[in-house]
Amino acid sequence: LFENYTEGTFSRILSDINAQVATYMPFLQIDDLFLFTAKDDPSIDPNSVRLIIEYSVEGIDERDSLIITQSND
């Protein structure tokens, strides 16, 4: 909960997202996952992270993306 973010932390988060989607939403295909911090994008608050999930829905050829910005504030 209070650990600093590292590349290993980000890898675990992305891996966990893939695993949870495969278990609970198998009809979704994750096409791409991105995790950004202020180091990657100066428009993001230094105490925030931004997650972008690009996905498609199998069987109906729909694609979309979900953008979540989480702050510690």
Side-chain angles (χ1 to χ4, degrees), residues 19-33:
Q20 294 298 306
V21 168
T23 300
Y24 297 106
M25 302 178 83
F27 53 88
L28 287 184
Q29 172 66 41
I30 294 181
D31 301 320
D32 246 325
L33 283 171

Side-chain angles (χ1 to χ4, degrees), residues 3 9 13-15 17-18 20 24-25 27 31 33-34 38-39 41 44 58 62 64 66 70-71:
E3 65 186 58
T9 304
I13 290 169
L14 297 178
S15 177
I17 290 169
N18 276 311
Q20 294 298 306
Y24 297 106
M25 302 178 83
F27 53 88
D31 301 320
L33 283 171
F34 304 98
K39 185 173 102 176
D41 180 350
I44 299 172
E58 294 178 6
E62 286 293 321
D64 204 351
L66 175 66
Q70 178 64 45
S71 175

Side-chain angles (χ1 to χ4, degrees), residues 26-69:
F27 53 88
L28 287 184
Q29 172 66 41
I30 294 181
D31 301 320
D32 246 325
L33 283 171
F34 304 98
L35 202 51
F36 298 103
T37 65
K39 185 173 102 176
D40 306 309
D41 180 350
S43 71
I44 299 172
D45 183 270
N47 295 319
S48 299
V49 315
R50 180 169 295 142
L51 170 68
I52 300 174
I53 304 172
E54 294 180 353
Y55 64 93
S56 52
V57 181
E58 294 178 6
I60 62 172
D61 296 326
E62 286 293 321
R63 296 192 59 165
D64 204 351
S65 61
L66 175 66
I67 301 171
I68 301 169
T69 302

